[in-house]
Amino acid sequence: GQNIDQPTEMTATEGAIVQINCTYQTSGFNGLFWYQQHAGEAPTFLSYNVLDGLEEKGRFSSFLSRSKGYSYLLLKELQMKDSASYLCAVRSFTGGGNKLTFGTGTQLKVEL
Amino acid sequence: DTEVTQTPKHLVMGMTNKKSLKCEQHMGHRAMYWYKQKAKKPPELMFVYSYEKLSINESVPSRFSPECPNSSLLNLHLHALQPEDSALYLCASSRGGETPNYGYTFGSGTRLTVV
């Protein structure tokens, strides 16, 4: 089976930097995604890592260490609109094909 | 067109009803997915279709029946549901195959209430 863990909640200040961690255990690892989801809305794609290292995309960066089963999402220059749930998702290859499994999600609250 | 469209947006059904959820994409994606999401929980995978064939069924009860009529459409037929099946049902699509197909695109979901 798979085990994907994230902190349940985090609070940060507008303008600050926040790091959301994700640890995973899976077989057939085939990439790690980060999604943002506002309440009642669909998840929206933020970033993707399949090789070790850092991927930067504007205010968002994501890091992956496959040997440690670890990823983080870094959000810089936080804005109030960044208050949302952040989902780490692992793609794994099984006999039936690729599947994307979500972690527990981290609810981020950005305060003034 | 870079969207996944789901209909209806909201659905209320009785436990004896039969209804269907629909999902459509025109991005040429060959893999489509159904997820179920309860409040304050992450999405849970239900079914994966790859090249119009059911490739993964995550031990979903038979009262949920998926169907993929063609490469652009995905349906979820519902019958004899229970109140605990009330949730947001999300459809997603991706390029499919073995290529690095990052960027799963999600629809806005159908909010289902079973009474």
Side-chain angles (χ1 to χ4, degrees):
Chain A
Q2 299 191 359
N3 208 16
I4 307 170
D5 290 317
Q6 304 175 232
T8 305
E9 293 179 340
M10 297 183 73
T11 302
T13 305
E14 189 179 35
I17 299 172
V18 71
Q19 177 175 313
I20 303 174
N21 295 325
C22 171
T23 57
Y24 66 89
Q25 293 175 307
T26 188
S27 55
F29 177 82
N30 195 17
L32 187 142
F33 297 75
W34 284 94
Y35 280 84
Q36 179 192 63
Q37 188 177 28
H38 287 96
E41 297 181 11
T44 54
F45 170 75
L46 292 177
S47 70
Y48 167 73
N49 297 71
V50 68
L51 300 176
D52 290 352
L54 189 68
E55 293 285 338
E56 298 189 80
K57 199 173 180 182
R59 294 192 299 118
F60 298 89
S61 303
S62 58
F63 172 83
L64 175 67
S65 170
R66 289 172 295 170
S67 62
K68 294 182 180 177
Y70 169 69
S71 174
Y72 67 72
L73 179 70
L74 196 70
L75 292 79
K76 303 174 188 174
E77 301 169 16
L78 280 173
Q79 303 173 10
M80 298 297 287
K81 67 177 182 180
D82 296 328
S83 294
S85 179
Y86 289 85
L87 300 161
C88 168
V90 173
R91 184 174 65 195
S92 56
F93 183 77
T94 70
N98 281 304
K99 67 177 188 179
L100 189 67
T101 305
F102 286 88
T104 49
T106 299
Q107 188 65 43
L108 174 66
K109 183 178 178 182
V110 180
E111 298 179 329
L112 290 170
Chain B
D1 188 350
T2 58
E3 289 187 343
V4 174
T5 303
Q6 289 187 245
T7 55
K9 293 195 182 305
H10 299 274
L11 178 63
V12 179
M13 62 185 289
M15 289 187 283
T16 58
N17 291 159
K18 285 185 181 181
K19 296 286 184 182
S20 296
L21 309 184
K22 297 186 183 301
C23 174
E24 189 169 3
Q25 58 87 14
H26 297 287
M27 295 178 280
H29 287 176
R30 301 310 299 270
M32 296 185 77
Y33 313 81
W34 280 115
Y35 282 83
K36 172 183 177 180
Q37 187 174 26
K38 303 281 275 185
K40 298 188 185 300
K41 296 289 187 183
E44 295 179 4
L45 182 65
M46 300 175 72
F47 302 104
V48 178
Y49 272 83
S50 181
Y51 292 85
E52 297 144 59
K53 293 192 187 314
L54 181 65
S55 59
I56 296 175
N57 176 342
E58 293 285 90
S59 302
V60 179
S62 60
R63 57 186 184 270
F64 295 91
S65 175
E67 178 198 19
C68 189
N70 60 56
S71 59
S72 299
L73 293 174
L74 185 66
N75 298 323
L76 186 63
H77 302 298
L78 315 173
H79 174 53
L81 294 193
Q82 303 297 311
E84 58 264 28
D85 296 322
S86 298
L88 180 68
Y89 288 83
L90 293 164
C91 174
S93 71
S94 67
R95 285 186 204 160
E98 298 301 318
T99 55
N101 56 338
Y102 60 89
Y104 291 63
T105 304
F106 282 83
S108 55
T110 294
R111 176 76 58 190
L112 174 68
T113 304
V114 182
V115 297

